[in-house]
Amino acid sequence: GSLNGKEINAFEVSALQSSAMVKVQFSSKEGFGLTVTESLVKQLPGYEGVMVTTLVGGIRAQTAVCECLTIEYPPEEVAASLAVYRSLPDHPKKTYWVSLFKEIASRKSVAELINHIRHAATMSDAERVRMSKSARHGVLANFSTWVNVH
């Protein structure tokens, strides 16, 4: 049979998580961070990727045992992001977006994000594979019940 839209989307998400060289989870607030775990555990030989993530909520515990490139997201930047989100106009003009982009681009956390993406994209294959395998091992050793099934 053919796949429905939801099934196709699941395959696409899995393919992207498995093959991306750089994976980013830039959250202001997070519980466990399932998308981080999914991305860290999925890897295809030759397509190992590095995770870049903010240190918030449950993601902080994950990064403590899974090797990732991390970003401190200062509370004042989180508050500013949430304030912008809550006050988004229904039909913003281009000038609104340009102004917002300039404000967000000047944030310390965004500068860290850019530097981490640049670093992850240009590191040696050996270092990227090492980090990817280390992160995957951290997930399996600390957050997976599958490895405990006999």
Side-chain angles (χ1 to χ4, degrees), residues 7 16 24 28-29 31 34 36 52 65 75-77 80 89 91 93 101 106 110 117 119 128 135 139 144 147 149-150:
E7 293 166 330
L16 289 170
V24 176
S28 59
K29 190 161 110 172
L34 185 57
V36 172
V52 179
V65 295
E76 60 276 6
E77 288 188 15
H91 303 286
K93 296 188 183 308
F101 174 81
S106 70
V110 173
I117 291 171
H119 174 66
R128 192 180 69 260
V139 168
S144 176
V147 295
V149 176
H150 302 286

Side-chain angles (χ1 to χ4, degrees), residues 2 15 25 38 49 53 57 63 74 82-83 94 105 110 115 130 136 149:
S2 62
Q25 180 74 32
E38 288 175 337
T53 186
T63 62
L82 293 174
K94 182 178 178 181
V110 173
N115 287 333
R130 186 200 63 72
R136 185 174 196 276
V149 176

Side-chain angles (χ1 to χ4, degrees), residues 26-80:
F26 196 92
S27 298
S28 59
K29 190 161 110 172
E30 198 72 48
F32 174 67
L34 185 57
T35 56
V36 172
T37 297
E38 288 175 337
S39 288
L40 292 175
V41 79
K42 293 177 183 176
Q43 56 178 262
L44 296 171
Y47 294 93
E48 294 85 358
V50 174
M51 187 79 199
V52 179
T53 186
T54 47
L55 291 171
V56 295
I59 294 175
R60 188 177 293 274
Q62 290 167 282
T63 62
V65 295
C66 300
E67 192 169 355
C68 299
L69 299 176
T70 59
I71 300 166
E72 285 290 345
Y73 200 5
E76 60 276 6
E77 288 188 15
V78 171

Side-chain angles (χ1 to χ4, degrees), residues 96-112:
Y96 173 85
W97 292 116
V98 170
S99 173
L100 181 59
F101 174 81
K102 287 178 182 176
E103 187 273 319
I104 291 172
S106 70
R107 294 181 184 173
K108 180 180 178 253
S109 60
V110 173
E112 280 187 79

